[in-house]
Amino acid sequence: MSVKINLARLKKNIEELAEFGALETGGICRESFSNTDLAAKRWLMEKIRNAGLMAVRDEAGNIWGRLGSKKRSVLIGSHIDTVPEGGVFDGALGVLAGLECLETIRENKLPCNHALEMVAFADEEGAFLNFLGSRSMLGSLDADEISAAKNMNGFPLAKAMADAGLNHRRIVSARRDPSGIKAYLELHIEQGPSLESAKIPIGIVGAIVGIVSYWVTFSGEANHAGTTPMTMRRDALSGATEFYRRINAWIRSNPGGVVTIGKMDVYPGAFNIVPGSVRLALEFRHSSATRLEKMESSFLEIGNTIAEEMGLVFTADRLSWDDPVSLSNNIIGTIRQETDSLGYAYRLMDSGAGHDAQILAQKINAGMIFVPSVGGKSHCPEEKSNWCDIEKGVQLLLNSTLKLVMEYTDPK
Amino acid sequence: MSVKINLARLKKNIEELAEFGALETGGICRESFSNTDLAAKRWLMEKIRNAGLMAVRDEAGNIWGRLGSKKRSVLIGSHIDTVPEGGVFDGALGVLAGLECLETIRENKLPCNHALEMVAFADEEGAFLNFLGSRSMLGSLDADEISAAKNMNGFPLAKAMADAGLNHRRIVSARRDPSGIKAYLELHIEQGPSLESAKIPIGIVGAIVGIVSYWVTFSGEANHAGTTPMTMRRDALSGATEFYRRINAWIRSNPGGVVTIGKMDVYPGAFNIVPGSVRLALEFRHSSATRLEKMESSFLEIGNTIAEEMGLVFTADRLSWDDPVSLSNNIIGTIRQETDSLGYAYRLMDSGAGHDAQILAQKINAGMIFVPSVGGKSHCPEEKSNWCDIEKGVQLLLNSTLKLVMEYTDPK
């Protein structure tokens, strides 16, 4: 395969898109259905048309580009909305890489046995509703959820969509028949430090982790910090800090997955009062549902054991449980072959963050490619990937797409 | 000494005073210079007069009762203001026990070589200014501090005093010449669990602890909780929890004093972000200044060591340093003799909480007696002391007062 992507054109597109919502910090503020996001999507449709493709906005606000009239298609996508002070590459890279692949294939008049599509899914970052666009495409959103959705300022999704010329009641019409899509590919920045620190330019994603979140609480007795001797305290913080220590020791002994305590609320929370209770934000992730269950039971057991040892009370409230999602082994195989052909080093890895691919993977053969994030940073102005790595990632995306689009037989 | 205090009368007075600011919870809300506090102080002056004593309110709002016209006096005091949802006994017991002692001495026509005084100091709990009354008596408040003082609603002390018919500019006239007071005695509830759990009815206070407070911070790097592997994190909470563990281990190896972490603020504080920094409210207390310094240097060393081991940054900002205060050895000796004569078990102990005695002890021979707190509770509706313990405490206060008032020679 001697066709090369046009890195200069891709870079120019990424830089142009980065103007929409650019902050003085170097960060980007382009939240879904904001005026900035809508302007960026008009720009994107123009770009799609200028590339000689058909451009469509569906009723969920997803932007589609299409090449060819064959019934089944290979789809490349991601999103162009950002978190409030996000970076240039998260999502945008995948969408514009898709455009670059389609444009390269079109201008090189490469023969295709399937149609080619690209998509920018609406609201991946969940300003109103996590994965709004990809879930609309799969038809997995219900009307109540859509009607109830608000952004963090309390502004309703229905109103934001109306301002964008969309009718939230017609989101159902954004549904696509999954059998019409042979494969979904998404190129994304890693958002972590693993590839960069290992000096490996390509990550091939095997699974997207499941995420479980809990509020856990240790309760003891609030007491006067001056008059209560150390030996007579039931300090809730002794349980909370020991919990942190033991769950971290557990995961060192049982490597795989991650566990985080992102918050510790101490009550009543004064210099001169021994803590009566402490509430911890506990979150853990793993790509295996069995291991996720094992983590859950182990952490709850650790909490109960500590409470018993220390004379405290332990309670745990599960807030969410999102199952891990495995990507298609056939597509992973195709991407690995193409990576080998290109001579790139790669790592098979899990994605620790969520992506539209995890929604599509429920009904469509899906694959993901990662490129390294400098310093592992994302969702911040410092978010960056090196152009030499991006070039490899997009070339691999093109070659994998061509391979899939050439195949007559469906691997599904 | 065969004169006995009148427990029934004291109990009735405590119950009457508890009506002022009584809450449905059983707690008391009688903040300094509130209408409730002013009404309670009018009631107290009436009680003092009815006991045949001279009643005076000074320019700081302190209420004085006096028996006899001799130049030097023995003074018994405490306060009757409470924290926002406080209890029946904190402060009130000491003031009404003083009244009971003076009334008993007067009605038994006991001979005295000195005058006797009782006092209810204004704003011990610091609604506007910690120890306002006792510091005014010692002349240790300055005009700027008085002018700037506000309560937690932002209401100025000057205005509250004006509403009470007092002029904050005349607080200086509340100053007393310390040489006119031979001794100061204060009876108070322990506010901790030590006496009750040891089944000892009397505590004799040797010193009031010094208190040091710090904000200490561990800083690492905030990161994505899903994409940052456990081994590549610089989680600030790892330092904060280890700090808790090591300072508690230190104080187990170096018993004496107390150390408390009452608050842990985790930043940015989200389920899906590895903590970038954690700020801890650190407070420690000891009755020895040398030991307080040792605690400080040890805790800072622990913080720095952890930061070095874990690749974090440790910073420490001292917010306050209040020296410990020793009470008078002569008065402690007198109280011990009287306790032995009465046949009561007692414990020599430090006060872990602050009291007006620590202000007066700077210039006047001072002594304090504790009675047990049920469950160690104070500053709450559950605050309680048993009447059999109160009876012993007040009898000891009377006997100690009589001893001091009989002495011709000044132990100072």
Side-chain angles (χ1 to χ4, degrees):
Chain A
M1 199 81 58
S2 63
V3 177
K4 291 266 180 292
I5 61 124
N6 184 337
L7 182 66
R9 179 169 60 191
L10 173 66
K11 188 171 178 225
K12 185 162 173 290
N13 282 342
I14 288 176
E15 285 166 357
E16 274 184 44
L17 178 53
E19 295 295 313
F20 294 89
L23 302 170
E24 287 192 1
T25 56
I28 310 281
C29 210
R30 197 164 59 226
E31 292 169 78
S32 199
F33 297 117
S34 65
N35 289 335
T36 311
D37 179 54
L38 296 172
K41 284 180 171 153
R42 283 191 297 271
W43 169 89
L44 178 62
M45 289 185 78
E46 186 70 16
K47 281 281 159 190
I48 293 170
R49 281 188 213 103
N50 291 347
L53 310 171
M54 190 176 70
V56 169
R57 182 173 80 158
D58 70 17
E59 290 289 346
N62 299 319
I63 306 297
W64 298 84
R66 187 177 180 102
L67 173 64
S69 56
K70 296 236 166 42
K71 202 177 163 207
R72 294 188 85 208
S73 64
V74 170
L75 172 64
I76 306 172
S78 196
H79 61 98
I80 67 166
D81 60 307
T82 73
V83 294
E85 197 173 350
V88 169
F89 297 93
D90 184 344
L93 172 62
V95 171
L96 296 177
L99 175 63
E100 178 56 35
C101 289
L102 267 60
E103 196 161 1
T104 302
I105 291 170
R106 183 181 173 280
E107 67 193 4
N108 286 280
K109 300 186 174 63
L110 300 175
C112 296
N113 292 326
H114 298 288
L116 278 158
E117 291 188 89
M118 58 158 286
V119 64
F121 286 119
D123 207 13
E124 192 264 0
E125 299 290 5
F128 292 91
L129 210 50
N130 267 336
F131 304 119
L132 167 69
S134 47
R135 290 172 70 197
S136 300
M137 178 192 163
L138 270 278
S140 64
L141 277 175
D142 68 55
D144 290 348
E145 200 174 359
I146 295 163
S147 300
K150 293 186 166 87
N151 73 6
M152 58 188 257
N153 300 318
F155 195 77
L157 171 63
K159 181 97 180 55
M161 290 185 73
D163 291 349
L166 296 165
N167 182 341
H168 71 281
R169 288 187 200 83
R170 286 212 295 267
I171 281 187
V172 285
S173 69
R175 191 170 177 281
R176 291 278 303 263
D177 176 2
S179 70
I181 296 166
K182 175 188 164 86
Y184 173 75
L185 293 179
E186 184 167 355
L187 173 71
H188 205 280
I189 56 169
E190 181 197 351
Q191 302 183 259
S194 300
L195 292 175
E196 186 197 39
S197 64
K199 298 189 168 50
I200 293 175
I202 297 294
I204 301 175
V205 179
I208 297 171
V209 295
I211 308 180
V212 183
S213 66
Y214 266 88
W215 278 123
V216 304
T217 302
F218 287 89
S219 302
E221 191 172 13
N223 268 313
H224 193 298
T227 59
T228 314
M230 299 309 293
T231 53
M232 299 181 76
R233 298 181 173 198
R234 286 174 58 224
D235 181 352
L237 198 50
S238 66
T241 53
E242 183 64 11
F243 185 71
Y244 178 92
R245 199 178 72 76
R246 291 197 200 171
I247 61 171
N248 277 277
W250 187 92
I251 205 152
R252 275 193 299 276
S253 309
N254 299 271
V258 290
V259 59
T260 304
I261 292 172
K263 208 165 189 296
M264 265 201 196
D265 297 326
V266 180
Y267 303 97
F271 276 86
N272 59 356
I273 305 182
V274 178
S277 70
V278 181
R279 188 173 74 149
L280 300 90
L282 172 69
E283 193 215 63
F284 45 98
R285 306 184 183 210
H286 205 288
S287 56
S288 146
T290 313
R291 291 291 303 278
L292 215 48
E293 281 163 18
K294 176 70 179 161
M295 289 170 99
E296 179 179 61
S297 63
S298 301
F299 298 158
L300 297 183
E301 190 186 334
I302 287 170
N304 283 314
T305 303
I306 290 170
E308 197 165 316
E309 288 171 12
M310 297 190 170
L312 302 171
V313 174
F314 175 73
T315 58
D317 296 310
R318 190 159 84 185
L319 303 176
S320 65
W321 179 292
D322 292 321
D323 275 323
V325 174
S326 293
L327 300 187
S328 156
N329 281 329
N330 285 324
I331 296 194
I332 292 168
T334 300
I335 298 172
R336 290 179 72 167
Q337 281 170 17
E338 296 305 315
T339 317
D340 286 334
S341 300
L342 285 163
Y344 299 158
Y346 70 90
R347 170 178 286 184
L348 275 175
M349 64 190 296
D350 295 328
S351 171
H355 298 289
D356 288 307
Q358 79 195 59
I359 305 300
L360 273 71
Q362 293 163 20
K363 297 192 179 168
I364 295 167
N365 287 311
M368 277 198 90
I369 299 165
F370 279 169
V371 291
S373 291
V374 174
K377 292 194 178 293
S378 72
H379 284 195
C380 61
E382 296 77 26
E383 178 182 291
K384 193 185 160 194
S385 290
N386 290 317
W387 292 109
C388 58
D389 292 330
I390 289 174
E391 185 172 19
K392 289 192 177 74
V394 183
Q395 188 65 49
L396 173 59
L397 180 67
L398 173 66
N399 290 18
S400 303
T401 302
L402 284 170
K403 177 77 178 197
L404 289 164
V405 94
M406 299 298 195
E407 288 171 353
Y408 280 96
T409 52
D410 188 350
K412 193 172 184 177
Chain B
M1 198 77 58
S2 63
V3 176
K4 291 266 180 292
I5 60 123
N6 183 338
L7 181 66
R9 179 169 61 194
L10 173 65
K11 187 172 177 223
K12 186 163 172 293
N13 282 341
I14 287 176
E15 286 167 355
E16 276 185 42
L17 178 53
E19 295 294 313
F20 294 89
L23 303 170
E24 287 193 0
T25 56
I28 311 279
C29 210
R30 200 164 58 225
E31 292 169 78
S32 199
F33 298 117
S34 64
N35 288 334
T36 312
D37 179 54
L38 297 172
K41 283 180 172 154
R42 285 192 296 272
W43 169 89
L44 178 61
M45 289 185 79
E46 187 69 16
K47 281 281 160 190
I48 293 170
R49 283 188 210 101
N50 291 347
L53 310 170
M54 193 176 70
V56 170
R57 183 174 80 156
D58 71 17
E59 290 288 347
N62 299 320
I63 306 297
W64 297 83
R66 186 177 181 101
L67 174 64
S69 56
K70 297 238 168 35
K71 203 178 161 206
R72 296 188 85 210
S73 64
V74 169
L75 172 64
I76 306 172
S78 196
H79 61 98
I80 66 167
D81 61 306
T82 73
V83 293
E85 196 174 351
V88 169
F89 296 95
D90 184 343
L93 172 63
V95 170
L96 296 176
L99 175 63
E100 179 56 35
C101 289
L102 267 60
E103 197 162 1
T104 302
I105 291 170
R106 182 180 173 278
E107 67 192 4
N108 286 280
K109 299 185 175 61
L110 301 176
C112 294
N113 291 326
H114 297 287
L116 277 157
E117 291 187 271
M118 58 158 284
V119 64
F121 286 117
D123 206 14
E124 192 264 356
E125 299 290 6
F128 293 91
L129 210 52
N130 267 336
F131 305 120
L132 167 70
S134 48
R135 291 172 70 197
S136 300
M137 178 190 163
L138 271 279
S140 64
L141 277 176
D142 69 53
D144 289 348
E145 200 173 1
I146 296 163
S147 300
K150 293 186 165 85
N151 72 7
M152 59 187 253
N153 300 320
F155 194 76
L157 171 63
K159 181 94 180 58
M161 290 185 72
D163 291 348
L166 296 163
N167 182 340
H168 72 282
R169 290 188 198 81
R170 287 214 293 270
I171 280 185
V172 286
S173 71
R175 191 173 178 280
R176 292 279 302 263
D177 177 2
S179 71
I181 295 167
K182 177 189 163 83
Y184 172 75
L185 293 178
E186 185 167 355
L187 174 71
H188 205 281
I189 57 169
E190 181 198 351
Q191 301 182 257
S194 300
L195 292 175
E196 187 198 38
S197 65
K199 297 188 168 52
I200 293 175
I202 297 293
I204 301 176
V205 179
I208 296 169
V209 296
I211 308 179
V212 183
S213 65
Y214 268 87
W215 279 123
V216 304
T217 303
F218 287 88
S219 302
E221 190 172 14
N223 268 313
H224 193 297
T227 59
T228 316
M230 298 310 292
T231 53
M232 298 181 76
R233 298 182 174 198
R234 286 175 57 224
D235 180 353
L237 198 49
S238 67
T241 53
E242 183 64 11
F243 185 71
Y244 178 93
R245 199 179 71 78
R246 291 197 200 172
I247 61 170
N248 277 278
W250 187 93
I251 206 153
R252 275 194 298 277
S253 310
N254 300 269
V258 290
V259 59
T260 304
I261 291 172
K263 208 165 189 299
M264 266 200 197
D265 297 325
V266 180
Y267 303 98
F271 275 86
N272 59 355
I273 306 181
V274 178
S277 71
V278 181
R279 189 173 74 148
L280 300 90
L282 172 69
E283 194 216 62
F284 46 98
R285 306 183 183 211
H286 204 287
S287 56
S288 149
T290 313
R291 291 292 303 278
L292 216 47
E293 282 163 16
K294 176 70 180 161
M295 290 169 98
E296 180 180 59
S297 61
S298 301
F299 298 158
L300 296 184
E301 191 187 331
I302 287 170
N304 283 314
T305 303
I306 290 170
E308 197 164 317
E309 288 172 11
M310 297 191 170
L312 303 171
V313 175
F314 175 73
T315 58
D317 296 310
R318 189 157 84 185
L319 302 177
S320 65
W321 179 291
D322 293 321
D323 275 323
V325 173
S326 292
L327 300 186
S328 157
N329 281 329
N330 284 324
I331 294 192
I332 292 168
T334 300
I335 298 172
R336 290 179 72 167
Q337 281 171 18
E338 296 305 316
T339 317
D340 286 334
S341 301
L342 285 163
Y344 300 158
Y346 70 90
R347 170 177 286 184
L348 277 175
M349 64 191 294
D350 295 329
S351 171
H355 298 289
D356 289 307
Q358 79 196 56
I359 306 298
L360 273 73
Q362 293 163 20
K363 296 193 178 167
I364 295 166
N365 288 310
M368 276 198 90
I369 300 166
F370 278 168
V371 292
S373 291
V374 174
K377 291 194 176 296
S378 72
H379 284 192
C380 60
E382 296 76 26
E383 179 182 288
K384 193 185 159 193
S385 291
N386 290 318
W387 292 108
C388 58
D389 292 329
I390 289 174
E391 184 172 20
K392 289 191 177 74
V394 183
Q395 188 65 48
L396 174 59
L397 180 67
L398 174 66
N399 290 19
S400 302
T401 303
L402 284 168
K403 179 78 178 199
L404 288 165
V405 95
M406 298 299 196
E407 289 170 351
Y408 279 95
T409 52
D410 187 349
K412 190 170 186 177

